[in-house]
Amino acid sequence: MTKIEPIDGETPLDFVQRADSLKIPEGMINRILTDHFGYADDGEIKELKLQSKPFWDQFYREHVEGIFQRGGTRYAALRFIQRKNDHADEHRRLSEVEIERIVDSAGEWPR
């Protein structure tokens, strides 16, 4: 298991994004947010985590891969992310290029 510690001057959001990109278990992230950054409320921690770009990248990739594995279409995968993206705040809004890359990362879509 990878061990992670906050870096001097690192903000809670920077820490969460770094931890998410390293795929650190949620419990470990929560413990560090509580012990080091003083977060006491689960709602605060969840709100912070929802601002993490690596979290959303993984969320979209998992859903797109699920669509791909079920024999869905590339269009369905694109629309799924675009609909979610339309309601995203500025922290997690993706460009069309980012959306295309995520969808194409699932594999060769049937024509």
Side-chain angles (χ1 to χ4, degrees):
M1 177 189 315
T2 304
K3 185 174 176 176
I4 189 167
E5 294 290 328
I7 299 170
D8 286 339
E10 187 172 44
T11 67
L13 179 57
D14 290 340
F15 169 76
V16 168
Q17 292 187 114
R18 185 167 59 90
D20 282 343
S21 67
L22 295 171
K23 297 184 181 358
I24 301 297
E26 184 176 354
M28 187 180 292
I29 296 171
N30 292 353
R31 194 171 333 104
I32 292 171
L33 287 172
T34 301
D35 295 347
H36 184 78
F37 293 105
Y39 280 76
D41 182 69
D42 287 339
E44 275 184 315
I45 291 173
K46 182 177 180 179
E47 187 176 319
L48 177 66
K49 287 181 177 180
L50 289 176
Q51 295 177 31
S52 170
K53 186 161 177 40
F55 168 83
W56 287 106
D57 287 347
Q58 186 63 32
F59 172 83
Y60 290 134
R61 283 183 200 288
E62 287 174 1
H63 278 9
V64 165
E65 287 170 6
I67 293 169
F68 181 80
Q69 291 171 355
R70 290 188 305 274
T73 64
R74 184 177 188 279
Y75 176 77
L78 280 170
R79 287 300 301 146
F80 170 79
I81 296 176
Q82 289 167 340
R83 280 193 317 273
K84 294 289 186 187
N85 200 45
D86 287 345
H87 301 291
D89 61 20
E90 66 185 72
H91 293 95
R92 64 180 176 101
R93 188 171 303 270
L94 302 173
S95 69
E96 284 301 315
V97 171
E98 290 173 311
I99 293 171
E100 295 274 341
R101 284 184 184 146
I102 291 171
V103 170
D104 291 341
S105 74
E108 188 68 35
W109 291 90
R111 300 239 173 226

